[in-house]
Every structure is written in C-alpha cells, then in structure tokens.
Amino acid sequence: MAQQPITLIGGGLVGALLAQQLAQRGFAVEVYEKRPDPRLAGFLGGRSINLALAERGLQALRTAGLADDVLQRAVMMRGRMVHTRDGDSGLQRYGVDDSEVIWSVSRGALNMLLLDAAEAAGVQFHFGQSLVSADFDAQRIRLADATGVERELPVGMLIGADGAGSAVRAAMDAHSPLGERIESLGHGYKELEIPPAGELPAAVLQFSGGHDQFALEPHALHIWPRGGYMCIALPNTEGSFTVTLFLPAQGAAPSFATLPDAAAAATFFSEQFPGLPPLIPRFDEDYASHPVGTLSTLYLDRWHIDGRALLIGDAAHAIVPFHGQGMNCGFEDTVVLANLLAAAPNDSAEVFAEFQRVRQPNANAIATMALENYIEMRDSVADPHYLAKRELGALLATRAPEHYMARYRMVTFTHLPYAYALERGQAQDALLEQLLHGSTRVADVDLDMAANLIRTSLPPLPPLRHG
C-alpha cells in the first residue's frame, strides 16, 4: 500500500528537520511556510537570534546526518559565567568536563542548513504561503500567498510545525477544542548586541575577559543575575554576543513599563549592569528598535485530530526559554514521530495517539523545569544555599555516580526522559536539603554517610546514553 503524502505547515527549525527525516524514510513531503525563503530574502526571524543546542537536539541532528555541519557553525559554552554587581565574575560549569557542554547556534544559519538538507532529501517547499483555514472533514486546506490570493489544496496527513502562534492549532481548535491554556510569565525580553571586539575601543576591552575576536569570554553563557530580573549574553561565531534583558513587563521599577525609552534604559543598565553599556555601542538604537518579546507556556489536552492532523514542537508545547530546551525538545519530537510513522506509515491515527502519549508528559515536565530555571538563573546562581547544594551534589556525583546526577546534567547531557529528570531531581533535592539542614557549610557534611544515604534512598540511575 502506498504511503499517504504528508503536508507540513511551517518550515522553521522543527518543520525543516522533520521534513528531512520523513523524506529520508521514503515519505512524500510538501512544506508550506508563510515567510519568504530565508536563503533568498535573508532571515526574517523576529525571534531570538541564537539558541542553545544540547545533547537531545544534537542526537536528532546525528540521526539526520547533520550534527557535524551544525557544530562547525556553533560556539561551545562550558557553563554559566556569573557577573556580580561589583564586577566580579566566575564560571559555573554545566557538566563535569568538556564532554558536557552546550553550543550557541544561529537560528537563521541553522534554519537555512536544515532547509538545504530537506530539499536534498526530496522535500518540496512552498514559501510565502499562509494557512487561512482547514476543513478536516473534507481534508482540504486554504492558503494565501503574500499578495492575499487564496487557493485550496487537498491534503493527506497534516502536521503543524508552525510554532507557538500556530495557524494549524487554531484551525484544529475551531474544529474540535484542544483544551488550550496559555500561561503568561508576566515577564518580557529585549535583545541588544555586543559587537565583535575589533569594533570596540581597546580601553573598553581591557578588563572584559574576552579574547581573540570576542569582547567577553566566548566559551560561556554570561548571566548578570539581579534577583527578580537578569541579563544574559550568548556568543555568535563571528565574535558578537546577543544580549537579552529579561524583566517584568508591568509594575513597579524595574519593569519594561518603567523603561519607556532608551535613555531610561541606559540609566538602569549603568546602575544594575555597570560593565555592560560600554560593550554595547549601539545601545540606544537597539533598545528603541527591538520590540519587547512575550514569554508564555502553552498547554494542550490534545495534540491531534484522530489521524488527520497533528501538532509538533512549539505548536504543541511552547515553553519559556530558560532551560535552553525549546529547540532541543522539538528536535527530539521529530525523531520520535519519524520513527513511529516509519513503523506504521498507514496508521496515522495510532501513530498520532502514541506520539502524544510518549511526548506529552515530557513536554509538561520540561515546561515546569524551564519555569524553575528562570528563578535559578536570575536569583539562585548567586544564593549561598543554592551554591552549597550545587557543591554537595557535585561531590555526591563523584562518590555515587550510579545513583546521583544533577538534574541539569540529566536534562542537558543525556537522553533520559524529561519526566524522569523532573521526578528524580525532586527526590535528589529533598535529600540534599536533608543533608545540609539549612546550612551553607558543605565541609560539615559527612560525605561517606551522605553517599550511603543516596544509595539506600534512590534506585540506580537508568543506563545513560550520551552522544
């Protein structure tokens, strides 16, 4: 029996990677993307410029045969470089050594690489095509081009990979309510840029900690934690850094509502992030021209309409960016779905139901952990009790590695399900609290007793898959 063709809406990161993997498995795939082809028109992202690529996303790229190409265009980040108000900084490693790092990748460059790979696998792309509506009973969709001219097309299997503002999700919800809940974080973000070191005066760079073409240490994700808000900076391959300010959207200072213009923002930065303004020569221009982005978590009761339509990636489970896992989770989705469809190409209803059964608990878990990580990044990284738990955890990971692994490492450097990492992390954290008794003095903990408590309280970790 011939496989039914697949119609994908959305040619972004998840859509392009899924299309390539389905084509590699013998499916005929057509992709409709509302934006123009970024390889011709330039990248019109409107979203964060660079992203954190971790093991789950890398594994999906390995499956697609693309990991090496992507890593050649990425910058390694060993950990968080935490910058205090008084100008001190220190690196908090993500993993145990350089085998456990994350990678800063350009959204635009990655998207274009994935589009090329998908086309090479036989995928047909149609750009400048927006989904207007879908008739799931007649299995037809209506599209509009950039001039507003509409046309109707028959579709077989319809997959929505069109992001957090998914038009496919809206059409599905109109046909049969999906139980959608969107929870706003109440915080927004604004992006600024540190240019390559060659564009900055030598005096500015004297104490910044950068080297080569980078104004700051390149192999780190930089954080300026300030309690209820923070700045971060991620390196780009050409030497620049994308700086993102995260701040409450409304309310008393500091909030975006209290920083109406670049002058107010510049004063705020000079007070709260004094080392940063000299590194951002186009501060006024960036602040005035870049919009405040919104941050929300999307929850759905249902991701599919029987075997006719399915949502994947951010269209199904958009999360806040504070664990660097949105793209990685979406890429992990693509491998699961491509494998399920390859195993049962003519039973899409069963495949879609199984995909939701497997992935939804994990999507919910990483949504929870991403929200928790915001508090950790903006506040806890400078908190003595958090640092004591982190230090004790690192010692236990050395003494009882088969029973203890920091939750961050489980999420970022293994393929353990997100739901497992959340549950195990909670159990481990409770034991760390018990061992410290509210103290910040790790030296007072009997490490042999602590390791024994971990071994007797927790089952061994499952077999770990790296790389």
Side-chain angles (χ1 to χ4, degrees):
M1 187 186 297
Q3 295 173 349
Q4 61 172 316
I6 295 175
T7 302
L8 255 172
I9 307 295
L13 300 176
V14 169
L17 182 58
L18 176 62
Q20 187 252 17
Q21 293 194 68
L22 291 171
Q24 282 187 328
R25 289 162 172 79
F27 290 91
V29 185
E30 304 234 1
V31 179
Y32 296 89
E33 165 57 49
K34 67 181 178 183
R35 291 169 298 189
D37 187 338
R39 296 165 297 181
L40 304 175
F43 186 70
L44 306 174
R47 302 264 316 280
S48 63
I49 294 162
N50 49 8
L51 299 154
L53 177 65
E55 173 55 32
R56 295 166 198 272
L58 262 176
Q59 180 58 23
L61 292 170
R62 288 187 200 104
T63 303
L66 300 172
D68 291 343
D69 286 347
V70 171
L71 288 179
Q72 286 173 9
R73 297 163 171 81
V75 182
M76 177 178 73
M77 298 187 292
R78 293 187 172 97
R80 300 167 174 163
M81 185 69 76
V82 179
H83 298 260
T84 64
R85 267 195 184 86
D86 57 14
D88 290 339
S89 62
L91 184 71
Q92 296 180 4
R93 264 196 180 272
Y94 289 131
V96 292
D97 54 33
D98 278 0
S99 71
E100 294 184 342
V101 298
I102 60 176
W103 302 85
S104 177
V105 295
S106 156
R107 179 187 289 273
L110 179 56
N111 202 168
M112 290 186 265
L113 183 152
L114 294 175
L115 291 172
D116 285 343
E119 278 188 344
V123 175
Q124 290 198 313
F125 284 92
H126 308 273
F127 293 95
Q129 302 288 317
S130 298
L131 181 72
V132 176
S133 61
D135 184 333
F136 296 101
D137 294 324
Q139 289 194 276
R140 297 182 70 80
I141 59 172
R142 179 174 285 273
L143 300 163
D145 67 15
T147 65
V149 175
E150 295 188 5
R151 60 181 173 137
E152 267 198 14
L153 291 175
V155 292
M157 207 185 300
L158 181 68
I159 299 175
D162 51 342
S166 170
V168 178
R169 186 176 75 244
M172 289 168 64
D173 192 55
H175 176 271
S176 176
L178 303 175
E180 177 181 294
R181 302 183 310 288
I182 297 173
E183 295 183 5
S184 172
L185 182 62
H187 287 223
Y189 67 93
K190 190 178 279 266
E191 292 192 334
L192 310 162
E193 186 182 41
I194 296 172
E199 298 178 27
L200 293 165
V204 166
L205 300 170
Q206 192 173 355
F207 303 109
S208 70
H211 55 83
D212 301 325
Q213 76 267 42
F214 294 90
L216 296 169
E217 161 58 47
H219 298 301
L221 187 155
H222 294 261
I223 306 182
W224 291 260
R226 298 296 182 263
Y229 55 95
M230 68 176 180
C231 253
I232 67 169
L234 272 73
N236 297 305
T237 48
E238 82 286 358
S240 67
F241 285 81
T242 302
V243 178
T244 309
L245 170 66
F246 295 98
L247 203 60
Q250 302 294 328
S255 69
F256 280 112
T258 63
L259 302 177
D261 53 36
T267 300
F268 169 68
F269 264 74
S270 65
E271 292 169 354
Q272 300 300 325
F273 313 109
L276 265 176
L279 300 175
I280 309 176
R282 293 186 294 275
F283 183 95
D284 289 2
E285 179 188 328
D286 282 357
Y287 197 89
S289 62
H290 295 173
V292 175
T294 58
L295 298 164
S296 300
T297 305
L298 167 70
Y299 301 95
L300 299 176
D301 293 337
R302 293 194 304 115
W303 291 3
H304 66 101
I305 295 175
D306 47 62
R308 289 174 284 178
L310 172 73
L311 299 168
I312 187 172
D314 281 356
H317 50 72
I319 62 174
V320 295
F322 303 111
H323 217 306
Q325 285 291 309
M327 172 181 68
N328 293 285
C329 182
F331 280 4
E332 202 173 50
D333 280 353
T334 69
V335 178
V336 173
L337 181 59
N339 286 341
L340 288 170
L341 280 169
N346 298 303
D347 193 356
S348 56
E350 181 58 34
V351 164
F352 290 178
E354 178 66 4
F355 176 75
Q356 179 178 332
R357 188 192 70 76
V358 170
R359 293 301 292 164
Q360 192 172 39
N362 292 308
N364 290 340
I366 191 56
T368 296
M369 291 188 284
L371 288 164
E372 291 176 1
N373 220 46
Y374 184 32
I375 297 166
E376 180 173 308
M377 290 174 75
R378 75 187 198 209
D379 198 351
S380 303
V381 289
D383 174 65
H385 185 62
Y386 164 82
L387 294 172
K389 284 200 296 183
R390 196 174 186 276
E391 181 186 348
L392 179 56
L395 292 168
L396 291 172
T398 302
R399 286 180 174 247
E402 66 286 352
H403 286 79
Y404 185 92
M405 174 180 273
R407 187 178 85 179
Y408 187 92
R409 287 180 63 209
M410 285 189 260
V411 169
T412 308
F413 304 122
T414 81
H415 306 183
L416 294 171
Y418 289 123
Y420 175 87
L422 175 61
E423 186 180 338
R424 180 73 175 214
Q426 289 166 341
Q428 291 181 169
D429 192 65
L431 289 170
L432 292 180
E433 293 284 2
Q434 181 183 330
L435 288 163
L436 282 167
H437 301 296
S439 166
T440 58
R441 286 184 50 80
V442 175
D444 293 345
V445 177
D446 180 334
L447 292 177
D448 290 332
M449 179 275 292
N452 194 49
L453 177 67
I454 293 286
R455 289 191 193 96
T456 55
S457 302
L458 297 172
L461 292 160
L464 300 176
R465 286 170 55 216
H466 294 264

